[in-house]
Amino acid sequence: MNRAEEILEPGRAAAPGAIARAASTAELEELRRQFLGKGGYAARATEAIKDLEPPERATAGRAVSEFKELVERSLEDRAAALEPESGAGGGGLDLTGGGHGVRRGHLHLVTQIQRELEDIFIGLGYRVAEGPEVEDDWHNFEALNIPPAHPARSMQDTLYVRLGEPEQVVLRTHTSPVQIRTMEANEPPIYVVAPGRTYRNETLDARHSPVFHQIECLAVDRGITLADLFGTIETFVKQLFDDESLRTRFRSDFFPYTEPSAELAVSCIFCHGSGCRVCSQSGWIELGGCGMVDPNVFVAVGYDPEEWQGFAFGFGLERIAMIRYGIDEIRTFFDGDIRFLAQY
Ligand code: FA5
């Protein structure tokens, strides 16, 4: 039994009996607070999840949601049983009875991760930049050294708001157009991160969704090297995951807008490298791509590539959340099941 389950255990034993003995709706509300409210069993167990070993997190998460369901079910059953007695004379509406209260919501897990990453990068001296989700061909492709006939376009098929070149308008396929918009509007040096929603014409599977989020990073200055890129990524991965057993892997890759380019992957927390459904049997989960800004990109935005160097990377936010919390299905982020969302 892990720490989160230990916290839940007494609650699990006590809840059904205590709720069944409640004599009024006010008493039921008090019990709801005790089991599910701030500082209650579920909240404390959820808090303990982040200190668990990654493989234990999914089990603990499930235990918390099962506990919440158990309490909710017991409360509903008891409320239904009490109903006939609550009105004056044994029926009708009891205007003196306590209300059910409004349950407090909270930020979606992806938004939480996004804000946390923004904080990490602000701490490193970056500022947050934004760009539109409906993007023109120039910013999404062309200025990023992806001309119309380039094969890289077929890897990022998307939804087209307006067809036809060169005025084609698309739902952006990545956050990289924000690099272009930032450089067009500012003189170097530049240190920005740009989180946001992105779209691709892709089939839904455990790790891929047609709508997802990325965070882009761009640093442009004099004398920036590959060592700065790797050092920055390592710093943020360590801060974010705080997990000694997690391994990172850089592999040479290709992106038209960076040269050289690399892919960053972290070891699969579900199978620890032996291969499973979530990592497509590879033992690694790809977080994103990175590299040194290609001189052609600097030329496209009017910077002198002899004077300025830079690095950039773009990572998937859902993937980061999946690795951190042991979530094995990307669909759970957007199918709106409150039992999933309430755990984080
Ligand atoms: C890119 O999108 C590049 N723009 C990244 C980049 C930026 C490279 C700056 C160099 C410099 P890629 O297509 O590999 O690269 O996507 C990056 C990450 O986004 C993936 O590793 C993954 O974490 C996430 N991602 C991509 N497609 C999906 C999808 N369909 N569903 C969920 N996450 C996705």
Side-chain angles (χ1 to χ4, degrees), residues 46-184:
T46 306
E47 180 63 28
I49 291 180
K50 70 173 178 350
D51 299 325
L52 295 177
E53 290 300 314
E56 290 179 324
R57 290 179 195 166
T59 325
R62 264 194 302 277
V64 173
S65 58
E66 277 165 19
F67 172 70
K68 287 180 179 170
E69 275 173 44
L70 170 76
V71 174
E72 289 292 357
R73 228 182 10 254
S74 309
L75 287 169
E76 272 170 32
D77 289 350
R78 187 61 191 146
L82 286 174
E83 217 166 290
E85 289 97 59
S86 64
L93 183 66
D94 178 6
L95 296 175
T96 64
H100 292 295
V102 178
R103 274 200 258 159
R104 287 277 286 280
H106 61 70
L107 293 176
H108 190 281
L109 176 54
V110 172
T111 313
Q112 291 179 36
I113 294 273
Q114 176 181 323
R115 300 227 174 145
E116 208 174 307
L117 279 165
E118 287 173 4
D119 283 348
I120 292 176
F121 280 100
I122 287 169
L124 293 172
Y126 287 71
R127 72 176 176 83
V128 177
E130 283 184 336
E133 290 175 26
V134 179
E135 194 47 285
D136 57 44
D137 196 83
W138 168 256
H139 291 96
N140 197 77
F141 294 121
E142 196 122 21
L144 288 162
N145 204 24
I146 316 176
H150 198 286
R153 288 207 177 194
S154 60
M155 289 161 64
Q156 294 195 358
D157 192 20
T158 179
L159 292 156
Y160 297 85
V161 177
R162 194 169 71 211
L163 274 171
E165 287 149 8
E167 325 76 26
Q168 172 168 274
V169 176
V170 299
L171 293 189
R172 67 178 178 189
T173 55
H174 49 178
T175 40
S176 300
V178 188
Q179 288 186 35
I180 303 297
R181 289 189 176 274
T182 307
M183 288 192 279
E184 283 174 338

Side-chain angles (χ1 to χ4, degrees), residues 108 110-111 114 133 175 195-199 211-215 315-319 330:
H108 190 281
V110 172
T111 313
Q114 176 181 323
E133 290 175 26
T175 40
R197 196 175 294 132
T198 46
Y199 305 81
V211 183
F212 57 101
H213 295 75
Q214 288 189 338
I215 186 159
F315 295 154
L317 288 184
E318 283 83 359
R319 298 273 174 90
I330 198 164

Side-chain angles (χ1 to χ4, degrees), residues 228-245:
D228 297 309
L229 168 63
F230 289 163
T232 306
I233 291 180
E234 211 151 277
T235 306
F236 112 83
V237 167
K238 271 200 189 125
Q239 277 203 41
L240 192 66
F241 294 112
D242 191 25
D243 179 355
E244 290 302 319
S245 69

Side-chain angles (χ1 to χ4, degrees), residues 156 174 176 179 200 202 207-209 212 214 216 255 257-258 286-291 312-316 319 330:
Q156 294 195 358
H174 49 178
S176 300
Q179 288 186 35
R200 288 190 199 172
E202 286 202 10
R207 278 173 309 142
H208 294 91
S209 153
F212 57 101
Q214 288 189 338
E216 190 86 9
F255 296 98
Y257 34 98
T258 46
E286 184 197 315
L287 263 197
C290 59
F313 56 78
F315 295 154
R319 298 273 174 90
I330 198 164

